[in-house]
Amino acid sequence: MIKKALYIWLFLTCFTFSANAQTIEDYINNYAAHAQELMREYKIPASVILAVAIHESAAGTSKIARYLNNHFGIKGPNSNTEIRSSYRDYPAVSESYAHFLDFLKSRGSFNGLFDKYDQYDYRNWAKGIQRGGYARSRTWASQIIGIIKKNNLVQYDERPDDYIEPITAKPTPSSKRKTSSSKIYTVKRGDNLHNIAKARRTTPAAIMKKNGLKSHAIKPGQKLKL
């Protein structure tokens, strides 16, 4: 009985997987040409347009895609009576696509990308859209790039044969300067090694060692490593 149930589960899992894969393939076949039209008009890679739509609409199978024709997860008012949703509705899927491009063009956090990147540079476009705040997930751009690569969506970008893909600079971690363990102290009149060491929670011997001093003698204006 357990073995039979396991076989059924495996069958359903495999069926679901192949159905999802087929759904993505069908989705691409249905919308690739339209994504290319928008690419030529707006100069943004068709691969990015398609990948964002696939990601945000689960390849057209999400509830907001089915009921609201919303394939890009854009929020706004809707007049749909079948579902309650905070997402915008569209009369047709093509209008959802058009609004996505207008949305990027009209927002200050995105419109600079159109001057910065060309219509073939899908990696930087994906990362730029994420930086602009399109999605909260920190891995959103990586997911978009993954969809593009897995489904070979770059084939729709009409790249010239001699196109060289720009090197994407790796985000540099906010490089906080390594605070050196040694700080510099300028000796003032009346200072001695004992009171300097006491104020800095160290010892005169430690200060002498750091500074190569052979005696406790110090003078105003002298620089000491602490």
Side-chain angles (χ1 to χ4, degrees), residues 195-211:
N195 61 31
I196 293 173
K198 186 176 180 182
R200 299 301 183 280
R201 296 183 180 180
T202 183
T203 64
I207 295 175
M208 288 177 68
K209 186 176 180 181
K210 269 193 178 181
N211 292 274

Side-chain angles (χ1 to χ4, degrees), residues 26-37 46 50 97 153 156:
D26 286 345
Y27 189 92
I28 294 166
N29 290 336
N30 288 336
Y31 297 105
H34 186 51
Q36 287 181 302
E37 288 173 15
L50 281 169
Y97 270 72
L153 299 182
Y156 302 108

Side-chain angles (χ1 to χ4, degrees), residues 9-220:
W9 179 80
L10 284 170
F11 171 77
L12 289 173
T13 303
C14 293
F15 178 80
T16 304
F17 176 79
S18 60
N20 285 342
Q22 185 61 39
T23 299
I24 292 175
E25 188 178 338
D26 286 345
Y27 189 92
I28 294 166
N29 290 336
N30 288 336
Y31 297 105
H34 186 51
Q36 287 181 302
E37 288 173 15
L38 292 169
M39 171 185 70
R40 294 175 196 125
E41 181 181 351
Y42 289 89
K43 307 305 179 188
I44 173 173
S47 58
V48 171
I49 299 170
L50 281 169
V52 174
I54 289 168
H55 182 271
E56 299 297 329
S57 74
T61 64
S62 71
K63 191 175 274 190
I64 65 167
R66 289 183 288 112
Y67 286 94
L68 306 176
N69 288 322
N70 188 328
H71 285 222
F72 292 88
I74 294 177
K75 294 191 174 184
N78 72 73
S79 55
N80 191 281
T81 55
E82 295 181 83
I83 62 167
R84 294 182 64 185
S85 174
S86 60
Y87 291 90
R88 180 170 174 157
D89 64 341
Y90 301 91
V93 175
S94 59
E95 295 198 29
S96 174
Y97 270 72
H99 185 239
F100 170 63
L101 275 300
D102 288 336
F103 177 83
L104 295 182
K105 265 287 192 184
S106 63
R107 301 296 174 104
S109 53
F110 303 115
N111 61 23
L113 302 175
F114 291 87
D115 296 322
K116 196 170 184 181
Y117 305 123
D118 59 41
Q119 72 179 60
Y120 317 114
D121 189 0
Y122 71 87
R123 291 176 187 275
N124 279 317
W125 266 102
K127 292 179 179 181
I129 292 171
Q130 177 178 313
R131 282 196 307 272
Y134 189 81
R136 291 183 181 179
S137 170
R138 293 182 179 180
T139 62
W140 185 88
S142 299
Q143 292 169 10
I144 297 302
I145 292 168
I147 291 171
I148 291 171
K149 293 170 81 172
K150 183 177 180 180
N151 297 283
N152 190 26
L153 299 182
V154 75
Q155 66 180 298
Y156 302 108
D157 289 344
E158 299 177 345
R159 282 182 166 189
D161 293 336
D162 59 349
Y163 181 76
I164 299 172
E165 192 166 325
I167 297 171
T168 307
K170 290 183 180 177
T172 53
S174 55
S175 54
K176 291 181 181 175
R177 275 186 162 180
K178 288 184 180 177
T179 51
S180 170
S181 56
S182 61
K183 295 180 181 178
I184 303 298
Y185 176 78
T186 304
V187 178
K188 299 180 180 65
R189 188 178 297 277
D191 278 342
N192 59 56
L193 280 186
H194 180 75
N195 61 31
I196 293 173
K198 186 176 180 182
R200 299 301 183 280
R201 296 183 180 180
T202 183
T203 64
I207 295 175
M208 288 177 68
K209 186 176 180 181
K210 269 193 178 181
N211 292 274
L213 300 177
K214 294 181 179 179
S215 73
H216 284 66
I218 55 175
K219 56 185 179 180

